[in-house]
């Protein structure tokens, strides 16, 4: 449909069917009659020229003809901090990926915020200061969503301000920073109180971003835990159906470890262990033209193991806390079933660690044997001191995985001692050696994460406390690699 001018003249002349001179500010006919001229509105008529356009382009083939285009493009920027910047949108269609460049000025505050975030995601130095890509891929979708939600806009302004303060060696807890943070919290509170805005994806994203702001500004993680619990409530209210889109699914994946540890601390099953949430998380993630570090996929796999861990540990605690073991056959069968279930989960987690996570940590071939991987890491500890991980998230995963394995190993030892399975069994000394070796890995991994990023270290410390690893990580009685080699 093509629009062409239909008619001209003011309404008075049109009703009188007189020719209008269209003088300004009023036509002569209205002035002569003593009327107030209503002015000249543009009127259009639309002509169907589809057949003309189709005949003109019938010999051309276009990339998006009969293709399934992802409705959520990735938005980026070529040149940040310049007036004439090149924004682009990337789409993924059936036959390939496509990129559309848009040349325009960054005229609004939202444009500048989106451009600054795109710079933070693409710049290696920025990632060293604030590793956003290790948190989740949902940050890549934020530039196209800025300007829709007040809470998200203020949260992003606060995060960018904290990043600038960190980059310029200014204190992140300055008065101006706290003023931005207070404004962001107030905006989030306003959106949460409104039913229409409460379940918007942008509101949930703002609550996640404010967690990062809290971790960057305050030494205490109590407030971070409260914000994380608030994000959990918002996500749980929306239900699994909301997280079939790439942006929403990426946000959920970034928060899964925290939700599991929070419910472990509260002594209840995580809502992610419910069948409908398990079905969602085990289904293939929605495709989007957004790439993240491979360690994000490993984090998702680890969460699949951890989601059932709180319930298992609760059962083990209830069974092992009995002062005497009932002689009933039903109790004995339940005792042995829980023990076998714990052994199965431990063996599966150990196999995943040695075949998937550890080769990535050591940056070696996944086909290498377990003994080769272990000797490589031990030789590194002998000659080079503390182990250096390729990226921060791998250090976090190594720390959490070994802590979970230690907790499982100790629980299995308690159950087996209750069944008197270890009398005269030399395997108990070998299992304690394995525990000591894993404790050393936990200490090294936590020290690495703590030195690299306090944003990652504070939630990691919270998770280790829930897994019972704080007694040998944060106390002076820390197990060192030298101690492990002496034990061996």
């Amino acid at each position: 449909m093509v629009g062409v001018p239909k008619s001209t003249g003011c309404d008075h002349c049109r009703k009188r069917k007189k020719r209008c001179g269209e003088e300004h500010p009023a036509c002569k006919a209205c002035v002569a009659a003593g009327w107030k001229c209503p002015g000249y509105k543009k009127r259009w008529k639309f002509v169907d020229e589809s057949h003309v356009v189709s005949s003109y382009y019938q010999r051309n083939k276009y990339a998006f003809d009969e293709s399934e285009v992802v409705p959520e493009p990735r938005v980026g920027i070529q040149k940040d901090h310049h007036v004439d910047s090149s924004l682009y949108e990337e789409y993924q269609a059936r036959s390939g990926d496509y990129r559309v460049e848009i040349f325009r000025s960054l005229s609004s505050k939202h444009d500048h915020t989106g451009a600054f975030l795109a710079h933070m995601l693409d710049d290696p130095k920025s990632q060293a200061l604030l590793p956003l890509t290790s948190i989740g891929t949902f940050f890549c979708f934020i530039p196209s969503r800025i300007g829709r939600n007040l809470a998200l806009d203020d949260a992003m302004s606060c995060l960018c301000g904290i990043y600038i303060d960190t980059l310029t060696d200014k204190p992140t807890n300055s008065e101006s920073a706290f003023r931005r943070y207070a404004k962001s919290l107030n905006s989030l509170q306003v959106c949460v109180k409104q039913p229409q805005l409460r379940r918007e994806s942008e509101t949930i994203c703002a609550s996640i971003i404010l967690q990062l702001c809290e971790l960057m500004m305050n030494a205490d993680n109590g407030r971070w835990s409260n914000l994380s619990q608030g994000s959990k409530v918002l996500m749980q209210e929306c239900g699994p159906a909301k997280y079939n889109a790439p942006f929403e699914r990426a946000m959920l994946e970034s928060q899964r470890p925290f939700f599991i540890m929070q419910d472990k601390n509260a002594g209840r099953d995580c809502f992610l262990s419910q069948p409908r949430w398990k079905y969602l998380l085990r289904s293939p993630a929605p495709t989007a033209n957004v790439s993240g570090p491979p360690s994000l996929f490993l984090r998702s796999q680890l969460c699949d193991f951890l989601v059932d861990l709180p319930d298992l540990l609760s059962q083990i605690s209830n069974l092992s806390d009995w002062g005497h073991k009932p002689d009933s056959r039903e109790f004995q069968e339940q005792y042995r079933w829980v023990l076998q279930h714990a052994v199965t989960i431990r063996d599966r987690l150990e196999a995943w660690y040695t075949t998937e996570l550890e080769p990535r940590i050591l940056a070696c071939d996944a086909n290498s044997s377990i003994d080769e991987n272990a000797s490589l890491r031990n030789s590194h500890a002998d000659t080079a001191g503390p182990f250096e991980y390729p990226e921060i998230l791998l250090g976090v995963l190594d720390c959490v995985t070994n802590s979970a394995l230690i907790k499982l190993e100790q629980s299995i030892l308690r159950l087996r001692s209750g069944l008197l399975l270890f009398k005269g069994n030399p395997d108990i000394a070998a299992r304690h050696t394995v525990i000591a070796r894993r404790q050393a890995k936990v200490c090294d991994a936590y020290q690495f994460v703590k030195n690299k990023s306090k944003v990652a270290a504070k939630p990691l410390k919270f998770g280790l406390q829930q897994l019972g690893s704080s007694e040998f990580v944060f106390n002076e009685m820390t197990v060192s690699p030298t101690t492990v080699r002496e034990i061996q």
Side-chain angles (χ1 to χ4, degrees), residues 203-261:
T203 303
I204 299 175
C205 184
S207 67
I208 297 175
I209 294 174
L210 287 179
Q211 295 179 38
L212 300 179
C213 297
E214 175 69 29
L215 292 172
M216 293 287 291
M217 295 177 60
N218 297 319
D220 182 18
N221 6 333
R223 294 180 182 177
W224 163 81
S225 181
N226 294 336
L227 287 170
S228 181
Q229 291 177 8
S231 301
K232 183 182 70 173
V233 172
L234 294 177
M235 288 187 171
Q236 189 174 2
E237 287 180 357
C238 295
K242 186 179 180 65
Y243 301 97
N244 287 320
F247 175 61
E248 288 76 8
R249 181 67 172 272
M251 287 194 297
L252 178 62
E253 290 288 352
S254 70
Q255 299 300 299
R256 283 178 69 188
F258 308 137
F259 295 167
I260 295 172
M261 290 298 103

Side-chain angles (χ1 to χ4, degrees), residues 393-448:
L393 186 54
L394 289 176
V396 174
L397 296 178
D398 193 23
C399 190
V400 173
T401 304
N402 281 287
S403 297
L405 287 171
I406 291 171
K407 190 68 175 180
L408 285 170
E409 199 71 63
Q410 293 173 343
S411 301
I412 292 172
L413 292 176
R414 290 174 62 187
L415 290 176
R416 285 180 171 173
S417 63
L419 291 176
L420 303 179
L421 296 179
F422 267 151
K423 281 195 171 181
N425 190 344
D427 185 60
I428 184 172
R431 302 315 300 180
H432 279 296
T433 302
V434 171
I435 291 176
R437 187 185 303 117
R438 295 199 182 281
Q439 287 177 344
K441 290 182 179 180
V442 171
C443 295
D444 286 345
Y446 177 76
Q447 192 63 36
F448 169 80

Side-chain angles (χ1 to χ4, degrees), residues 155-174:
M156 280 306 309
S157 298
C158 181
L159 182 64
C160 292
I162 293 174
Y163 168 76
I164 294 175
D165 292 342
T166 305
L167 192 64
T168 55
D169 295 331
K170 294 181 180 179
T172 57
N173 55 354
S174 61

Side-chain angles (χ1 to χ4, degrees), residues 62-75:
Y62 291 91
F64 293 119
D65 289 347
E66 299 180 356
S67 63
E68 297 177 358
V69 180
V70 176
E72 189 81 44
R74 182 193 179 197
V75 179

Side-chain angles (χ1 to χ4, degrees), residues 63-64 70 90-100 288-290:
F64 293 119
V70 176
E90 291 183 350
Y91 298 86
Q92 188 176 33
R94 183 182 303 167
S95 57
D97 300 335
Y98 303 93
R99 176 164 166 162
V100 180
N289 192 25
V290 175

Side-chain angles (χ1 to χ4, degrees), residues 448-485:
F448 169 80
V449 175
K450 183 179 178 181
N451 294 336
K452 291 294 183 180
S453 173
K454 63 179 180 180
V455 175
K458 292 178 183 178
L460 178 59
K461 181 180 179 180
F462 173 80
L464 294 179
Q465 290 171 344
Q466 309 316 312
L467 289 172
S469 300
S470 58
E471 57 184 9
F472 61 85
V473 175
F474 309 119
N475 294 344
E476 294 181 357
M477 298 177 62
T478 303
V479 180
S480 63
T482 305
T483 306
V484 175
R485 288 190 290 274

